[in-house]
Amino acid sequence: LRPGRSMSNIPSIKIWRLAGAGLLLAGALFFLYQVRRIFTPFLLATLLAYMLKPAVQLLEKRGLKRPAAILLMYLLLLGVSLPVFFFVLPRLLSELNDFIAQLPAFTAEIESLLQGFYERYNQVRIPASVRLLIDDAIINLSSAFHEAAKHAAEFLLDLIAGVASFLLAPILAYYLLRDSEHIGRCASRLLPLQIKEDVLGLWVQLERVLTNFIHGNLLLSLLVGFMTGIGLFLIGSEYAVILAVIVGLADLIPYFGPLIGAIPVVALSLLQSKQMAFYALIVMVVVQQLEDGYLSPRILGECVSLHPLVVVFVLLAGGELWGVAGLLLGVPLAAMGRIILGFIWSRLVSS
């Protein structure tokens, strides 16, 4: 021991160190929460890096330097994306402008349909208490439709307005891919030697689950959106591209995603004609059967290893707490939480 320092002072020194570390951590978390709006390009860059990392590593094994491998993958990705920029994006913007212009007429038509249903339903003799419940349900349904239409338009506008994040993401992803090992080594140096091996082993498991989930779900979502867009285009839908984007994004939500995506497809098609709504429903059923019977088992497999009951509970809880973000992120966070809890439990039992 150093002169003047007794054994009794050591616990108090440790407590102060822990308190200081806790305050620093709380301050860092508070700062990150305050600047949370700037995270979008970093999240997109992380997704892009995870998607390209296996291909980049494969090219490295073939003899290419990492920067050259990343740039080659970017060129391939750009070549695949050119049809989107030249053909799909202009149509998406056109459909979005038309949808926003027609939104008042759509809502008026939906209100007319609900009013017609309400008038026919009033002719039926129903107990007063039951009629009151049905009236409340109709009012809530009408309000929910207005809110859903409003949020859908706002979401699509925000998606297009966030083009700066999409442009910045590849630049950030380049540095993430190029320096991923260096970043990992720097992070590992911050870990105490006593827990470094355990934490690195835990991170390998978390990264495997996260990579499988990102690759599988993004690919499945892209395929489902593409098939839906082609099907709706073939039947003559006026909003094939917008609805394909909505269906593809909704498909990122397990179990409930297909139903969430099918509602706007059928609703907008019904405003064109009943025949169009019927054809759109057939398209959605065919796509769903292809997804469930062929694509999903081969692409996803057991990427998160969670029981269906747990997935449903996580989705409901995530939607209740964080809305759409909770629906999208609930399952991967739950899968990672299961690994972390299993790791902690194994250490507690072994100790």
Side-chain angles (χ1 to χ4, degrees), residues 27 35 60 266:
V35 299
E60 268 194 301
V266 177

Side-chain angles (χ1 to χ4, degrees), residues 5 12 20 38 49 55 104 113 183 205 252 260:
R5 178 179 293 185
S12 61
I38 69 171
L113 291 174
I183 294 172
Q205 298 181 58
L252 292 171
I260 294 173

Side-chain angles (χ1 to χ4, degrees), residues 41-276:
F42 291 93
L43 292 175
L44 293 175
T46 303
L47 288 175
L48 182 60
Y50 268 106
M51 291 173 61
L52 298 182
K53 187 175 181 180
V56 169
Q57 291 177 335
L58 181 62
L59 290 174
E60 268 194 301
K61 292 178 182 178
R62 298 291 178 88
L64 280 179
K65 298 290 186 180
R66 175 161 293 198
I70 298 171
L71 292 176
L72 178 59
M73 290 305 304
Y74 273 16
L75 289 175
L76 293 174
L77 189 62
L78 180 61
V80 173
S81 303
L82 284 178
V84 175
F85 288 110
F86 286 109
F87 300 106
V88 178
L89 188 59
R91 183 179 176 105
L92 175 62
L93 294 174
S94 175
E95 290 183 4
L96 182 60
N97 289 329
D98 184 52
F99 173 74
I100 294 173
Q102 296 292 330
L103 190 58
F106 287 163
T107 54
E109 190 166 350
I110 290 294
E111 288 179 353
S112 176
L113 291 174
L114 290 175
Q115 184 64 30
F117 167 78
Y118 188 70
E119 290 175 356
R120 288 192 296 271
Y121 137 79
N122 277 334
Q123 298 174 1
V124 182
R125 299 183 63 181
I126 301 176
S129 58
V130 177
R131 184 178 294 277
L132 182 62
L133 292 175
I134 297 176
D135 289 344
D136 290 339
I138 293 175
I139 294 173
N140 292 334
L141 180 62
S142 179
S143 301
F145 174 78
H146 280 281
E147 289 296 320
K150 178 182 175 183
H151 289 317
E154 290 175 351
F155 174 76
L156 290 172
L157 286 173
D158 291 341
L159 193 64
I160 295 175
V163 66
S165 297
F166 286 96
L167 295 176
L168 184 59
I171 300 173
L172 299 175
Y174 173 83
Y175 291 108
L176 286 175
L177 286 167
R178 192 193 68 177
D179 302 327
S180 57
E181 281 75 12
H182 176 68
I183 294 172
R185 286 193 297 270
C186 291
S188 66
R189 292 194 191 103
L190 301 176
L191 298 173
L193 291 176
Q194 298 87 340
I195 63 171
K196 178 180 290 190
E197 185 177 351
D198 288 339
V199 172
L200 293 179
L202 176 63
W203 172 247
V204 169
Q205 298 181 58
L206 293 175
E207 189 176 28
R208 185 183 302 118
V209 168
L210 190 60
T211 301
N212 291 340
F213 185 85
I214 291 174
H215 286 176
N217 281 270
L218 286 181
L219 178 58
L220 187 62
S221 172
L222 182 64
L223 291 174
V224 168
F226 177 77
M227 291 189 300
T228 302
I230 294 296
L232 293 176
F233 177 77
L234 292 176
I235 65 173
S237 174
E238 295 179 359
Y239 302 103
V241 177
I242 288 179
L243 292 175
V245 172
I246 293 174
V247 170
L249 292 174
D251 199 69
L252 292 171
I253 303 172
Y255 295 111
F256 301 127
L259 177 60
I260 294 173
I263 292 174
V265 171
V266 177
L268 285 181
S269 301
L270 184 62
L271 295 176
Q272 283 188 245
S273 68
K274 293 180 180 179
Q275 185 180 24
M276 182 60 66

Side-chain angles (χ1 to χ4, degrees), residues 286-305:
V286 171
V287 170
Q288 182 61 33
Q289 291 302 313
L290 287 173
E291 180 185 7
D292 290 342
Y294 184 78
L295 295 175
S296 186
R298 287 164 175 76
I299 295 176
L300 293 182
E302 297 292 331
C303 65
V304 294
S305 301

